[in-house]
Amino acid sequence: MRDRNFDDIAEKFSRNIYGTTKGQLRQAILWQDLDMLFASLPQRPLRVLDAGGGEGQTACRVAKLGHQVTLCDLSAEMIARARQHALQEGVSENMHFVQCAAQDVAQHLESPVDLILFHAVLEWVAEPKAVLEHLWRCLAPGGALSLMFYNAHGLLMHNMVAGNFPYVQQGMPKKKKRSLSPDYPREPQQVYGWLEEIGWRIASKTGVRVFHDYLREKHQQRDDYETLLELETRYCRQEPWISLGRYIHVTAFKPETQG
């Protein structure tokens, strides 16, 4: 099994994810959590690692807050796009770019970081727990992890609502190699278990797009976006909605007493 490199679908990824309301809503909910997370961390310029950071939308926004961000990605095309985005946003001086897999990034860091962003990557890697263990070693004691992963429960719900019964019965295999559908949808309880076994203390869980993708009338995703965002915000941090999100965002901390 190999980790996914996005060189061949970078443009499709940009258009289909960030150019849609699902990308807009994902960022909006994520930043509600990140704003609260930054408020709980030391009020100084932080050392931040964006592992598998893609085009750098989140990394550049973090850099704009005055933090020093290292962005790594396996894809040369994504690194190039991230560099261009940083230049356009005027934050290049606060950013460092490395083309490598997340599990190889430690050799490129001068010291452990205060915060790790690991968004929409876990579902593309063949050995997820090993990657989380590697990131643990990159994080300073007292530091935080922002982990967002593709939820297997949300994938099942989406296909059932759409009436794709034979596909569900087959185990929902990935259909196309170049598809944006992740290779390894993750079971939430398994991910939580990995984090706790490694030593992280989970602080919060948020469902991302708990209603958006299931709307019967798809035009409402765009036409009623503000109302939808308000309702997503109201329910996304409570069950059963957390476990029905297309993604789940987890914040977790490395205890001060562990190295």
Side-chain angles (χ1 to χ4, degrees), residues 81-95:
R81 287 169 176 262
R83 286 183 184 275
Q84 181 61 31
H85 189 57
L87 190 63
Q88 292 172 345
E89 294 295 317
V91 294
S92 296
E93 290 186 359
N94 281 5
M95 297 190 65

Side-chain angles (χ1 to χ4, degrees), residues 101-127:
Q103 54 267 45
D104 297 325
V105 73
Q107 60 189 301
H108 301 283
L109 299 174
E110 294 182 358
S111 61
V113 299
D114 303 301
L115 170 64
I116 295 175
L117 310 176
F118 197 46
H119 299 158
V121 182
L122 198 67
E123 58 269 22
W124 297 99
V125 298
E127 298 181 356

